[in-house]
């Protein structure tokens, strides 16, 4: 039970920044309070006080609560959280001293006091001891929507409010699952937010609003924002589908084919350049499982096909581009390594595709990904061979294996096996043993950077075809490839120095 001689705590919402968006009640409470309290960072400039200044009397007690740490490091023994908890406890006692003395306290809060506000930390510490009342304020979400002049959601659409501090994958998942979204707490988090928007297929729809309702307000497409120029007081809005702004149709635009590589598996190994092209594309063409790795984007068309129809897939992409589409042909790894770049360029030489632009964007290839997991087995000269005899006869494959083995180069072996090709690994092993020592290191890398990744090092003589499938890449060492064992790991490298003869 509160003592009636105590003062009253007011949590006063000031709105998003424009002093004219302060409610009538908030203005009255501020003007009547004995004590006006507000927060700021160490620089001392309080945004909340600046908003409330037109409503201050001039003779009030002011309690300036300065955060000990915001984004910088701290030597507090409890780290950042310890320093903040100590600050909130001390600040609450400063306000409690005024309330116990019978003074009313108006604690200012930008936006709304109970919406990502510092006021909440004081409220939880004081509400059991003193009477408290909340004066709601206009939130930054409402101000940002007003700045856009675009409804956020309508009908049965769901609006989700998300903090930009969420992990990237979780943020992308939630963005993909909602109709409309507002992302708060930007600043240093913006690169993560931008990537989550891209991964969820929402980047083109998203709008960035900075310092909504103030004279420094800026409105941009989320994709056009410079990462290093994002203040904390900014917000990203993703309107619902009924109000999303999509680019106007441009029927006369010349189409283009861009052949891209996603890398071997991990989303982090897809380059920013490739991500940008995937976002810009009107159409995606590729083998179904590879397209499944690309986030869905509103309005973007997908054309999946079997993995054995490269020429047909290339012709489809070129035809779409000829009719004005921006087409991404999607490959795993690098598109120029046993993938779609050569197929598209070959088909593009036909007269009917004259004038259709074709570009190739590189990606990390599987050989380098597998090599990185064990060290540097490709540190010196090496050959890259596909074991598939679907597009070239086995005798050609065998000659190339023998030539690479005789030259004492490490060998990266792509496409070593499939459901219908099971004998080639054993045949390759036998050919290699004619030139290589039985204890030559062999790296078996399966689904590297994928959910079922496994990497093992075996001796050439022990290479078992049963351990190899269509998701595997092999690296065969040379005579100078070395295995180094430590207590908890195995490293493999091929020295750049070759022994003198």
């Amino acid at each position: 039970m509160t003592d009636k001689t105590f003062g009253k705590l007011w949590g006063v919402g000031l709105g998003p920044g424009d002093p004219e968006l302060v409610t009538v009640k908030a203005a009255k409470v501020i003007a009547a309070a004995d004590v006006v309290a507000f927060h700021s960072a160490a620089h001392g400039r309080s945004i909340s006080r600046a908003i409330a200044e037109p409503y201050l009397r001039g003779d009030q007690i002011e309690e300036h609560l300065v955060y000990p740490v915001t984004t910088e490091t701290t030597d507090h023994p409890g780290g950042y959280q310890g320093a903040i908890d100590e600050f909130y406890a001390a600040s609450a006692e400063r306000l409690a001293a005024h309330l116990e003395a019978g003074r009313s306290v108006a604690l200012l809060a930008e936006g709304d006091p109970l919406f990502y506000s510092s006021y909440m930390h004081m409220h939880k510490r004081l509400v059991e001891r003193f009477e408290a009342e909340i004066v709601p304020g206009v939130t930054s979400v409402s101000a940002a929507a007003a700045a856009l002049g675009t409804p956020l959601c309508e009908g049965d659409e769901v609006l989700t409010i998300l903090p930009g501090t969420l992990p990237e994958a979780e943020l992308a998942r939630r963005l993909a699952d909602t109709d409309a979204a507002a992302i708060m707490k930007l600043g240093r988090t913006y690169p993560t937010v931008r990537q989550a928007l891209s991964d969820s297929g929402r980047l083109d729809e998203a709008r960035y609003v900075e310092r909504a309702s103030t004279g420094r307000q800026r409105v941009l497409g989320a994709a056009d924002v410079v990462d290093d120029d994002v203040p904390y007081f900014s917000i990203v809005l993703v309107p619902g589908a009924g109000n999303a702004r999509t680019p106007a149709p441009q029927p006369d635009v010349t189409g283009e084919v861009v052949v891209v590589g996603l890398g071997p598996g991990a989303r982090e190994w897809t380059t920013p350049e490739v991500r940008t092209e995937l976002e810009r594309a009107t159409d995606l063409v590729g083998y179904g499982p590879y397209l499944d790795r690309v986030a869905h984007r509103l309005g973007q068309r997908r054309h999946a096909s079997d993995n054995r129809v490269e020429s047909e897939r290339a012709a489809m992409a070129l035809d779409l581009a000829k009719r004005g589409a921006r087409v991404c042909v999607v490959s795993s790894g690098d598109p120029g390594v046993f993938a779609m770049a050569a197929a598209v360029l070959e088909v593009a030489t036909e007269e009917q595709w004259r004038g259709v632009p074709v570009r190739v964007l590189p990606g990390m290839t599987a050989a380098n990904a597998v090599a990185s997991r064990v060290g540097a087995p490709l540190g010196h000269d090496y050959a890259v061979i596909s074991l598939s005899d679907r597009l070239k006869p086995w005798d050609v494959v065998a000659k190339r294996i023998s030539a690479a083995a005789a030259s004492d180069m490490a060998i990266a072996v792509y496409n070593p096996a499939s459901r219908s090709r099971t004998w080639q690994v054993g045949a390759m092993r036998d050919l290699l043993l004619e030139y290589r020592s039985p204890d030559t290191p062999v790296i078996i890398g399966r689904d590297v950077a994928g959910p079922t990744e496994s990497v093992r090092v075996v001796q050439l003589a022990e290479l078992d075809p049963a351990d190899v499938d269509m998701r595997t890449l092999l690296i065969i060492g040379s005579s100078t490839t070395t295995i180094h064992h430590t207590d908890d790991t195995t490293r493999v490298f091929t020295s750049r120095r070759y022994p003198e003869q």
Side-chain angles (χ1 to χ4, degrees), residues 484-491:
H484 177 67
H485 297 286
T486 65
D487 291 340
D488 58 355
T489 190
T490 298
R491 292 294 181 209

Side-chain angles (χ1 to χ4, degrees), residues 417 422-427 429 462-469:
T422 58
W423 57 270
Q424 284 89 342
V425 172
R429 178 197 57 210
E462 299 173 352
L463 177 59
D464 185 351
D467 294 337
V468 180
D469 63 14

Side-chain angles (χ1 to χ4, degrees), residues 39-297:
H39 291 84
S40 84
H43 52 60
R45 299 183 299 276
S46 172
I47 295 175
S48 59
R49 190 194 182 284
I51 299 170
E53 188 168 12
Y55 310 106
L56 297 175
R57 293 199 314 266
D59 62 345
Q60 294 157 300
I61 300 171
E62 296 189 10
E63 281 289 356
H64 187 179
L65 309 175
V66 181
Y67 284 106
V69 61
T70 49
T71 59
E72 63 271 20
T73 57
T74 177
D75 57 3
H76 191 282
Y80 173 86
Q81 195 58 52
I84 289 296
D85 289 342
E86 186 176 282
F87 163 72
Y88 285 142
S91 297
E93 290 310 307
R94 286 172 63 180
L95 301 187
H98 291 294
L99 295 167
E100 288 172 347
R103 304 184 190 101
S104 60
V105 177
L107 179 52
L108 308 180
E110 298 114 46
D112 182 89
L114 298 181
F115 188 71
Y116 293 120
S117 167
S118 297
Y119 169 79
M120 296 182 292
H121 301 285
M122 297 297 97
H123 184 85
K124 290 185 289 187
R125 287 168 170 81
L126 297 172
V127 70
E128 297 297 327
R129 299 160 56 189
F130 307 100
E131 182 183 1
E133 184 172 337
I134 309 297
V135 181
V138 178
T139 70
S140 58
V141 175
S142 299
L148 288 183
T150 300
L152 275 181
C153 49
E154 59 183 52
D156 294 329
E157 290 179 332
V158 175
L159 170 65
T160 302
I161 309 295
L162 298 166
T165 50
L166 283 175
E168 185 179 304
E170 178 66 8
L171 191 56
R173 182 186 71 79
R174 292 174 181 260
L175 283 166
D177 289 345
T178 191
D179 299 308
I183 308 176
M184 318 273 296
K185 299 187 179 182
L186 301 184
R188 293 188 178 190
T189 67
Y190 196 75
T192 296
V193 170
R194 179 207 291 273
Q195 190 56 54
L197 286 164
S198 174
D199 291 345
S200 62
R202 310 298 294 269
L203 184 60
D204 284 352
E205 310 161 49
R207 298 294 178 267
Y208 166 90
V209 182
E210 179 178 307
R211 298 186 174 95
S213 82
T214 73
R216 300 168 66 191
Q217 174 179 292
R218 285 202 309 157
V219 179
L220 297 168
D224 300 325
V225 177
V226 177
D227 292 348
D228 295 335
D229 193 28
V230 176
Y232 183 81
F233 288 99
S234 52
I235 187 170
V236 166
L237 297 182
V238 184
N243 298 294
R245 297 180 181 180
T246 55
Q250 302 178 35
D252 297 329
V253 172
T254 301
E256 180 183 32
V257 174
V258 184
V259 192
V260 303
L262 300 177
R267 177 174 44 80
E268 294 82 0
W269 286 354
T270 301
T271 69
E273 182 182 34
V274 167
R275 288 172 179 161
T276 297
E277 290 299 333
L278 291 170
E279 291 159 10
R280 297 173 62 198
T282 60
D283 295 76
L284 302 181
V285 174
Y287 177 43
Y290 298 160
L291 289 184
D292 290 342
R293 291 174 51 190
V294 181
H296 284 264
R297 174 177 169 270

